[in-house]
Amino acid sequence: MQSITRVRSTYSIRTLRNAVLLALAAAGSAQAGTLTIESWRVDDKTLWETVLIPAFQKKNPGIEVKFAPSAPTEYDSSLAARLAGGTAGDLIACRPFDVSLSLYKKGNLEKLDGKPGMEHFPASSKVAWETDDGKDTFCMPVASVMHGFLYNQKIFKELHLQAPKTEAEFFTLLDTIKSNGKYTPLALGTADQWESNQVVFTGIGPNYWKGEESRKALIAGKAKFTDPQFVSAWEYEAKLGKYLSKGASSQTYGDSQNLFALGKAAIYPTGSWDIAYFNGTAKFEMGAFPPPVPKAGDKCYISDHNDIGMGINKKSKNKEDAYKFLAWLGSQEFADIYTNKVTGFFSLSDHLISVKDPVAKQMIDWRKSCSSTIRLNAQILNRGEPSMENQLWNVNAQVLNGKLAPKEAAAQIQAGFAKWYKPQQ
């Protein structure tokens, strides 16, 4: 009996010792484990693997990092499935506003307030990744995109044109290009619809509704889409319709890109994300100008839309290293590399950045003279039915096509809004 007890005792000590060794090994591997980054930015894979991750590892040797993107159209659903199954990565690239807010409310993302690196981001940059009351921030802001107009410098020189500053100057310029007959004034189609809203309406409109002032007033129920400042934006948009190609209603986003890249159109209404595409396809020098203001001397506003953030998976098994990585994302080094390597995506941090691409530099410099705002319906206003995003796509395409009057467009959007949003009822 005594020998059996001794065997059991020896077995228990050995088991305990093995368990301790395994725990220590696990702790060691957790400290220097592999961090996985979830993202929809497939195009950035080479940059992460050859530039960004090595730069981080130079400061943090021993921490392995893997960038594992999903196709943009599949990202939200596949990420949700991995989070539910406990197989998601440690770091989560965050869409702006409601998609990421939903992840936070479900307990998938860490609260980041006060964490190292977060001190470099002003309140305006965090609005896309915080709770409605502004108390919790759950993703670090990474980059924004801007909306404006690219133009073909060769055509402008040929026709003796200068970038316009006011609405009147803009229409005079468009008339000059149209009467010349050689070039399409605006490379813009309405077949895909999204550009009509996310590029044109959200780009030109802030100068009329004074950016954040009226955007916040809509949320508070103190302004309506039928108010003059919004109708004026649709009136401006309606006047742009006659400067599009003849077949604009069947012209896709890709068609518009080709039209401009081939030098057949003088101006391209777009977002800064397209700079890199044209750097690789266009054989002419480009310039950029912000949406012209209504009258000379008016304050200018730009759509400087929060686009990408980064959060930490609440169930990450390697949070210590994940927070080290997040702190690096908030650094001057990351802001410099990302802004200059992912052309047209601008750091949201307060670091001073020397932008090397000439067109991207023109755009980021708009922040010095214009007030930034975000896409009008991005925060809170997309939560009901009918979907405001879908309605805005359709309505703005119809306004550009001359099929819907500005006041009718305003009335349609307001009616849909008031159906579900109590402050508007």
Side-chain angles (χ1 to χ4, degrees), residues 2 32 39 49 53 66-67 87 92 124 130-131 136 218 245 279 282 321 336 346 411 415:
Q2 210 172 10
S39 177
E49 291 176 347
I53 292 170
K66 180 185 176 187
F67 185 73
T87 59
I92 311 289
S124 59
E130 64 184 17
T131 49
D136 296 358
L218 283 172
S245 305
N279 281 347
D321 286 346
D336 277 332
F346 305 108

Side-chain angles (χ1 to χ4, degrees), residues 321-387:
D321 286 346
Y323 274 113
K324 285 179 185 175
F325 192 84
L326 201 73
W328 182 73
L329 290 186
S331 71
Q332 174 83 48
E333 182 181 26
F334 175 80
D336 277 332
I337 297 173
Y338 197 82
T339 301
N340 281 302
K341 293 290 185 181
V342 190
T343 305
F345 288 79
F346 305 108
S347 171
L348 284 160
S349 69
D350 58 10
H351 298 299
L352 291 174
I353 301 160
S354 177
V355 181
K356 292 166 188 169
D357 182 272
V359 180
K361 186 179 188 317
Q362 275 185 290
M363 284 188 139
I364 200 169
D365 282 349
W366 298 345
R367 286 177 176 171
K368 296 174 183 176
S369 53
C370 304
S371 290
S372 292
T373 184
I374 58 173
R375 289 178 188 160
L376 186 63
N377 57 308
Q379 185 184 34
I380 297 173
L381 307 189
N382 283 335
R383 294 178 184 172
E385 288 294 335
S387 162

Side-chain angles (χ1 to χ4, degrees), residues 134-272:
K135 288 180 180 177
D136 296 358
T137 306
F138 42 84
C139 296
M140 176 179 280
V142 172
S144 72
V145 289
M146 290 188 192
H147 304 81
F149 297 87
L150 298 179
Y151 66 93
N152 183 319
Q153 289 198 27
K154 185 180 176 185
I155 293 174
F156 268 47
K157 191 174 181 182
E158 180 188 329
L159 302 181
H160 307 290
L161 304 172
Q162 288 189 329
K165 293 181 179 177
T166 66
E167 183 183 330
E169 289 174 3
F170 191 29
F171 284 112
T172 299
L173 180 150
L174 291 169
D175 284 331
T176 302
I177 300 165
K178 189 175 182 181
S179 61
N180 173 266
K182 197 173 171 183
Y183 308 103
T184 299
L186 293 173
L188 176 68
T190 58
D192 295 336
Q193 295 193 341
W194 68 266
E195 311 101 286
S196 308
N197 176 44
Q198 292 187 1
V199 170
V200 182
F201 186 66
T202 201
I204 64 175
N207 281 327
Y208 292 83
W209 60 68
K210 298 191 180 349
E212 290 294 274
E213 181 183 311
S214 289
R215 185 185 75 82
K216 289 179 176 177
L218 283 172
I219 293 171
K222 294 177 180 176
K224 297 182 184 299
F225 281 100
T226 47
D227 291 345
Q229 67 268 32
F230 296 107
V231 176
S232 294
W234 272 302
E235 287 171 345
Y236 181 4
E237 183 179 62
K239 288 193 281 185
L240 294 175
K242 69 176 183 177
Y243 303 104
L244 311 187
S245 305
K246 285 181 181 176
S249 61
S250 58
Q251 183 175 312
T252 65
Y253 174 60
D255 294 334
S256 300
Q257 285 181 314
N258 288 335
L259 192 66
F260 186 67
L262 292 170
K264 295 180 179 180
I267 301 167
Y268 181 68
T270 186
S272 54

